[in-house]
Amino acid sequence: MSPSFTPGNPLMALLTLRSVSLGFGGPLLLDKADFSLERGERLCILGRNGEGKSTLMKILFGELQPDSGEVSRQQGLTIATMPQEVPKGLEGDVFDIVASGLGEPAKLLQQYHHLSHACELGDADACDKLLAIQSDMADHDSWSLQQRVEEVLSRMELDGDAPLDSLSGGRKRRVLLAQALVQQPDILLLDEPTNHLDVTSIQWLENFMGNYNGTVVFISHDRAFLDRVSTRVVELDRGRLRSFTGSYSQYMAEKPQLLEAEAKQNALFDKKLAEEEVWIRQGIKARRTRNEGRVRALIELRRERAERRERVGNASISIQEAEKSGKLVLDIHDLTVKAGDRELVRGFNATVMRGDKIALLGENGVGKTSLIRVILGEDPAAAGQIKRGTKLEVAYFDQLRNQLDEEKSVLDNIAGGSDFIDINGERKHALSYLQDFLFTPQRARTPVKALSGGERNRVLLARLFSRPSNLLVMDEPTNDLDIETLELLEDKLDAYQGTLLLISHDRAFVDNVVTGSWAFMGNGRVEEFVGGYTDWLRQTEGRAPAAITGKAPVKNAPVTEVPEIREKPAIPKKKLSYNEQRELTALPARCEALEAEQADLQARLDNPDIYVKDPDGAATASRRLAEIEEELLHLLERWTELES
């Protein structure tokens, strides 16, 4: 079966690109590309980082003009766009910002909105001014625009009087979307709309776009999101656009067939070229019988081969692992984390063993990063204890990328001025290592501040994985990464022998990587669950929304379909025997005695004099420390077994 890719129907199209080319000095981002967009489509643009997806969006919007080719739009076509990031300096209340999408007519609306609000609060002067501008409202047909803004605010579940700076990141993005929608655009352009959104906001956006009757073109690397939303996938690959009808899953099923057909076509071409090159070099005999048309054909074949653009390879990610940590990595007891007077985490208990891969689930702002920082010892806990295991080597991926010096080059950020770095015991040239992360030597010498978001994430991954670790802590590592790199990172984390703590709102990524989850259930409660995001949904099915999110139910919230699971009948607890009850009672004291001995031995080993004056004693103490760790681990496991 051949892939069902199609360029669309330009006769019915709202917007059409014909043989469009554009470049900025390097390989063409668009190379004689053809494209058409029909009314009512929800079209996703896919492609590797740096292929030119955002550039294509700017051409569709009219912000950029191509070097050659034709861009045709239906007469009177309205196109609106939502920026990737909330613009710096944007302030005011929600009504003002949404209404500003209407352009000049918004000024009268904004004035009326503020005066009516002041009048309701008893400002007599505002009431007089309100009466004066009502005739102006009628003259400029502002009443219908006022109604349009109010309808959009209601549909988007936004409070028009709320100040923008009081909203969460997800709500701010929703305000920007409302600002675009109030224009009633024929085409809505969204560049990475799910970036930095939590799962609740992503699901709201999925639900909204699924019910939206307009035409949408969006860029996204969130596989779950684009699979639920898209009706067509257009791939930008080496300057060309290929269109696949249907969802992302259908695209994934058909893409290998296309690549296989391309590989066969290239192999036939290369075989033909090789045969012609042999013929032209046959010497005197070939010259006597030479066909000038065949010579010209060979020259054309050489030109085509020189112009062929090979597919960009995948990043070659390898994680440098340190010596194994102790079996017990973290023992968290009655932990409380606060931000000022706000209690983010209350009375949290958890045990993390070597090899566990844990996801932290919850909305933005609930305290996931704060909990991580307390666990790592970067911030103090408000209450409780954290016991960290032995031989821990921590590598921390920071979502704010604070570990990168933006003024320095990629190379300097990775190698610190050296030409070589040690990777898994082997000396490797830093430029060669960076090529594994898809940085050419020229790009490796570029300052970090000049890189795209996806490139910066790859720099941070390269820096992170160049250091030995047995505990990886990754805070939003998936933002801006293309799908190929995401899937490769999944494979490497799955094979990682160490321990992983992960914060991510990419549901597919979480499901494919982790073995357990810590879910923020509201009111400072954090609960442990087996499995990833989908498993958490299944295990909390039927619980009240407020119990899961800590918030009241939201109107029109998306319904997630979860397969029916028949619960196994509860197994009655076995009553403890007399000896088991005595053992359970004695366990706390045994653990305390071992921990006291452990602290005493550690204090002795922390004194450097012991290694000079009593090396045998130091070796004995070190061995005993390892024995105590194993004993404590056994006791903790037995304690859990008896209590359950």
Side-chain angles (χ1 to χ4, degrees):
M1 183 182 71
S2 61
S4 58
F5 60 91
T6 168
N9 186 351
L11 297 177
M12 302 173 59
L14 293 173
L15 184 150
T16 305
L17 272 59
R18 295 185 181 89
S19 197
V20 165
S21 295
L22 179 67
F24 298 104
L28 291 176
L29 295 176
L30 293 172
D31 187 1
K32 298 179 181 177
D34 295 313
F35 171 82
S36 63
L37 179 66
E38 298 171 15
R39 191 175 297 278
E41 287 193 290
R42 295 194 298 273
L43 185 149
C44 175
I45 300 174
L46 285 184
R48 302 296 298 267
N49 291 137
E51 284 282 354
K53 300 184 298 296
S54 295
T55 299
L56 174 59
M57 292 280 265
K58 291 176 181 178
I59 289 177
L60 299 181
F61 188 54
E63 183 179 342
L64 273 180
Q65 297 301 316
D67 297 333
S68 63
E70 179 185 359
V71 181
S72 302
R73 300 177 179 85
Q74 283 191 4
Q75 192 169 3
L77 192 72
T78 303
I79 304 176
T81 184
M82 183 182 83
Q84 264 191 316
E85 306 289 344
V86 178
K88 291 182 179 180
L90 185 65
E91 55 186 22
D93 64 31
V94 170
F95 184 95
D96 282 355
I97 295 167
V98 173
S100 67
L102 297 169
E104 191 63 29
K107 293 180 180 179
L108 194 58
L109 277 184
Q110 292 164 341
Q111 187 181 0
Y112 176 82
H113 175 72
H114 288 290
L115 288 173
S116 60
H117 189 62
C119 183
E120 288 173 5
L121 296 175
D123 187 335
D125 187 43
C127 292
D128 292 338
K129 292 179 180 177
L130 190 65
L131 289 172
I133 71 165
Q134 285 183 353
S135 60
D136 293 336
M137 294 276 290
D139 292 341
H140 292 87
D141 194 28
S142 296
W143 296 116
S144 62
L145 297 179
Q146 168 88 4
Q147 183 180 2
R148 189 194 299 182
V149 174
E150 296 291 353
E151 285 176 355
V152 170
L153 290 173
S154 174
R155 188 178 178 187
M156 306 290 282
E157 302 168 7
L158 292 169
D159 178 6
D161 294 323
L164 182 71
D165 57 12
S166 70
L167 303 182
S168 66
R171 287 266 165 178
K172 289 178 181 177
R173 300 288 292 276
R174 198 182 295 191
V175 171
L176 295 178
L177 180 57
Q179 184 187 56
L181 289 173
V182 80
Q183 303 171 47
Q184 295 181 340
D186 298 295
I187 301 173
L188 178 63
L189 304 178
L190 304 176
D191 193 349
E192 293 284 9
T194 63
N195 254 11
H196 308 292
L197 294 187
D198 56 36
V199 173
T200 302
S201 299
I202 292 172
Q203 288 180 323
W204 179 91
L205 187 60
E206 278 178 5
N207 188 54
F208 175 83
M209 288 181 66
N211 296 318
Y212 181 59
N213 294 323
T215 305
V216 185
V217 180
F218 66 98
I219 297 170
S220 178
H221 297 133
D222 186 319
R223 291 158 291 179
F225 175 81
L226 63 90
D227 202 33
R228 289 174 173 86
V229 170
S230 62
T231 59
R232 181 157 66 106
V233 172
V234 169
E235 183 188 50
L236 176 55
D237 181 18
R238 292 164 287 175
R240 300 296 177 91
L241 295 171
R242 293 189 180 96
S243 179
F244 298 78
T245 302
S247 67
Y248 173 73
S249 295
Q250 291 170 282
Y251 157 79
M252 286 298 292
E254 295 171 357
K255 180 63 188 299
Q257 302 170 44
L258 182 64
L259 292 178
E260 184 180 354
E262 179 184 335
K264 287 180 178 178
Q265 184 178 353
N266 286 343
L268 289 173
F269 180 95
D270 292 344
K271 182 180 179 182
K272 173 69 173 174
L273 177 58
E275 290 171 350
E276 294 302 288
E277 292 289 3
V278 169
W279 170 79
I280 199 69
R281 289 175 173 81
Q282 283 182 348
I284 301 292
K285 181 181 176 182
R287 290 193 190 97
R288 289 176 183 161
T289 60
R290 183 170 299 160
N291 182 314
E292 291 304 321
R294 192 172 176 180
V295 173
R296 287 194 296 271
L298 173 57
I299 293 172
E300 180 63 19
L301 287 174
R302 288 173 173 172
R303 185 191 63 78
E304 286 185 36
R305 183 62 185 88
E307 291 180 356
R308 182 196 298 172
R309 292 170 63 177
E310 303 293 346
R311 280 181 58 80
V312 176
N314 287 331
S316 179
I317 294 174
S318 60
I319 303 177
Q320 188 173 187
E321 298 196 25
E323 179 187 356
K324 283 186 177 180
S325 67
K327 285 187 179 180
L328 179 68
V329 175
L330 294 168
D331 185 21
I332 303 171
H333 182 68
D334 279 342
L335 183 66
T336 296
V337 177
K338 290 186 176 182
D341 295 330
R342 183 184 169 207
E343 198 170 58
L344 302 174
V345 177
R346 180 177 66 250
F348 177 51
N349 295 278
T351 302
V352 179
M353 310 302 291
R354 184 177 67 218
D356 285 350
K357 296 180 173 71
I358 308 295
L360 280 70
L361 305 178
E363 298 180 1
N364 285 338
V366 295
K368 300 186 297 297
T369 300
S370 297
L371 175 56
I372 287 291
R373 291 181 61 82
V374 169
I375 287 174
L376 295 180
E378 296 189 8
D379 291 332
Q385 294 180 336
I386 302 173
K387 178 185 174 185
R388 301 174 183 87
T390 58
K391 302 178 183 177
L392 286 183
E393 294 284 346
V394 181
Y396 181 29
F397 184 102
D398 174 20
Q399 65 164 321
L400 299 178
R401 308 187 183 103
N402 288 333
Q403 299 170 29
L404 297 179
D405 187 333
E406 296 204 346
E407 298 300 323
K408 291 184 178 179
S409 69
V410 174
L411 186 62
D412 286 340
N413 269 278
I414 300 302
S418 174
D419 290 333
F420 293 90
I421 54 177
D422 291 324
I423 302 293
N424 290 322
E426 295 183 5
R427 192 167 174 80
K428 191 169 186 177
H429 198 284
L431 287 176
S432 175
Y433 176 69
L434 284 170
Q435 283 181 314
D436 291 342
F437 290 81
L438 305 183
F439 288 100
T440 63
Q442 180 183 1
R443 200 64 176 162
R445 293 183 174 90
T446 302
V448 167
K449 63 183 180 183
L451 302 181
S452 67
E455 288 175 316
R456 292 186 186 204
N457 257 21
R458 289 209 306 272
V459 175
L460 198 51
L461 287 175
R463 179 183 171 90
L464 186 78
F465 295 155
S466 68
R467 288 153 175 76
S469 72
N470 50 37
L471 173 57
L472 265 180
V473 182
M474 308 191 80
D475 193 349
E476 293 288 3
T478 62
N479 283 335
D480 302 308
L481 291 182
D482 56 44
I483 289 174
E484 288 85 353
T485 307
L486 272 178
E487 291 175 343
L488 180 62
L489 182 58
E490 282 177 0
D491 292 340
K492 293 301 180 181
L493 291 177
D494 184 57
Y496 182 58
Q497 297 298 307
T499 307
L500 172 69
L501 297 180
L502 171 70
I503 299 175
S504 176
H505 299 301
D506 187 320
R507 292 156 290 174
F509 188 82
V510 168
D511 282 344
N512 292 339
V513 168
V514 305
T515 59
S517 302
W518 296 344
F520 285 68
M521 306 296 283
N523 302 318
R525 288 188 302 114
V526 180
E527 295 183 21
E528 283 193 274
F529 294 88
V530 174
Y533 177 78
T534 303
D535 296 304
W536 169 75
L537 276 183
R538 176 181 57 78
Q539 293 172 75
T540 55
E541 185 181 11
R543 293 173 66 168
I548 296 175
T549 65
K551 297 183 179 181
V554 180
K555 293 181 181 179
N556 300 323
V559 178
T560 305
E561 294 185 6
V562 180
E564 183 178 353
I565 304 293
R566 293 185 178 273
E567 295 291 339
K568 295 180 180 179
I571 300 173
K573 287 187 177 181
K574 177 186 173 184
K575 188 175 180 180
L576 294 179
S577 68
Y578 173 74
N579 287 335
E580 286 173 332
Q581 185 61 55
R582 288 187 62 187
E583 182 184 2
L584 178 60
T585 304
L587 277 174
R590 291 176 64 187
C591 288
E592 285 180 12
L594 283 171
E595 287 173 347
E597 183 184 357
Q598 185 184 47
D600 180 58
L601 288 170
Q602 190 63 60
R604 289 177 59 196
L605 291 173
D606 286 342
N607 184 353
D609 292 342
I610 190 174
Y611 299 98
V612 178
K613 297 178 179 177
D614 186 12
D616 293 338
T620 302
S622 183
R623 284 195 298 271
R624 179 55 186 155
L625 263 183
E627 291 170 1
I628 289 174
E629 183 178 340
E630 293 294 331
E631 289 179 41
L632 279 172
L633 178 60
H634 173 73
L635 291 178
L636 287 170
E637 289 175 345
R638 181 60 176 160
W639 196 340
T640 303
E641 179 184 344
L642 291 174
E643 283 194 328
S644 63

